[in-house]
Amino acid sequence: MSYPRKLQILIVEDDREVAEGHLKLLAEHRDAYPHSPPTVAVSLSAAQEAIRQPRPFHVVILDLNLPLKSRETAADGLDPGEQLIDLLAARDPYPVPVLLVLSGRLGLLTDLGPVADRLRQDFWHGELANKGSGQSRAVARGLDAALRYCDVGVHVRDAGRA
């Protein structure tokens, strides 16, 4: 059995303009990347709730610097996003094939190695990118990877033999 080809996307982003930019990009490429309306979470608690739901997410676009609860200011540091990477990696019933970490604060990490290693080891396609001009290419690469992932699977067909 394979995943449905209509992508399920979770956007974890507290900056409204950035989240709207992701939604606009996805809408512009809906024909190339068929997807259901994305779920948007604006805080650590909202993202945790979405991730714990028994449903697939083919692509997660994650900002590392998040507020703990909705309508709060983002906390200093990247701990909320790193907690979500752990939670996403542990989703055995509904694994997340593609995790895109798009953040304006990647420079805060003195060593990106551990996060990059987690993305390589725990996800079909994991990528780190800074917000800005290169993020749309990172999203397109992630969507391509998600479609390739959905195309892999066992397909049982009846050959018409009795």
Side-chain angles (χ1 to χ4, degrees):
M1 179 168 64
S2 62
Y3 264 23
R5 200 155 200 279
K6 192 173 198 181
L7 299 178
Q8 305 295 315
I9 301 169
L10 171 62
I11 299 170
V12 182
E13 175 60 65
D14 64 315
D15 185 319
R16 182 177 155 177
E17 288 181 25
V18 173
E20 288 175 0
H22 293 322
L23 293 170
K24 182 179 177 190
L25 176 69
L26 292 168
E28 289 170 357
H29 299 289
R30 189 177 198 95
D31 290 339
Y33 306 110
H35 61 276
S36 296
T39 300
V40 178
V42 298
S43 67
L44 174 66
S45 62
Q48 288 170 327
E49 183 178 326
I51 292 166
R52 289 185 176 124
Q53 296 297 312
R55 63 172 286 203
F57 287 113
H58 302 94
V59 178
V60 176
I61 300 173
L62 174 64
D63 180 19
L64 293 175
N65 184 244
L66 297 164
L68 300 180
K69 295 185 178 181
S70 299
R71 298 191 181 128
E72 287 184 358
T73 304
D76 288 336
L78 307 174
D79 187 53
E82 290 178 291
Q83 286 179 42
L84 292 175
I85 292 173
D86 293 338
L87 190 59
L88 290 164
R91 286 190 76 182
D92 288 333
Y94 294 99
V96 174
V98 176
L99 176 57
L100 304 172
V101 175
L102 303 179
S103 182
R105 299 220 173 179
L106 292 181
L108 291 179
L109 286 172
T110 56
D111 182 12
L112 292 174
V115 173
D117 290 344
R118 293 288 314 273
L119 294 177
R120 269 192 306 276
Q121 292 168 4
D122 295 333
F123 302 93
W124 169 262
H125 176 89
E127 188 168 343
L128 285 166
N130 278 307
K131 289 180 184 175
S133 62
Q135 77 182 23
S136 62
R137 287 187 301 277
V139 171
R141 284 190 298 272
L143 294 169
D144 283 333
L147 289 176
R148 283 193 316 274
Y149 184 88
C150 291
D151 288 342
V152 174
V154 176
H155 301 274
V156 179
R157 303 222 195 287
D158 181 0
R161 296 183 195 140

